[in-house]
Amino acid sequence: LKLRPNDPGLLVNTATALLESGRATEGMNILLRLYKQDSTNIAAVSNLAYRYGEMGNYAEAVRFCNRVIALSEPDDDMALGLAYSNRSY
C-alpha cells in the first residue's frame, strides 16, 4: 500500500481484508476514500452496498445498490439484495 497508495485493486483488497478481520471502520474508510476518488469504481461501489447492508444500514445499502445498477447490468444477487433491503420490518 505504501508503494501504490492509490491503486484501486489494492485498496479494495486491503479494505476487504480489514473488514473480514473485524476492522470495519478502517475498511469502510478505505472504500469510501476510493469511491470519492472514482465514483465509477464498480468494485468499491458494490462492496459499499454489500457492507452497508451487512451492517444494517439499509438506506446506504440501497443508495449504493442503485449506483451499481446505474453503472452496470444488475445480476440476480444484486436484484435480490435490493429487493430484500426495501422490505418493511
Side-chain angles (χ1 to χ4, degrees):
L1 201 55
K2 287 181 182 180
L3 296 176
R4 299 184 320 203
N6 295 316
D7 181 291
L10 185 56
L11 288 170
V12 168
N13 289 339
T14 300
T16 300
L18 289 167
L19 287 157
E20 292 298 320
S21 67
R23 295 166 62 185
T25 300
E26 292 172 82
M28 289 299 286
N29 285 340
I30 289 173
L31 289 174
L32 288 167
R33 185 179 99 209
L34 180 55
Y35 176 72
K36 287 177 184 173
Q37 289 174 354
D38 180 7
S39 64
T40 64
N41 185 304
I42 195 75
V45 177
S46 61
N47 271 284
L48 284 164
Y50 174 78
R51 297 299 176 166
Y52 276 124
E54 189 175 65
M55 294 174 359
N57 186 339
Y58 300 117
E60 285 298 291
V62 169
R63 183 170 79 91
F64 282 102
C65 280
N66 285 330
R67 183 73 180 133
V68 169
I69 291 168
L71 292 172
S72 67
E73 198 64 34
D75 62 17
D76 291 339
D77 289 337
M78 182 59 68
L80 181 60
L82 185 58
Y84 182 76
S85 65
N86 280 322
R87 287 181 24 188
S88 298
Y89 293 94

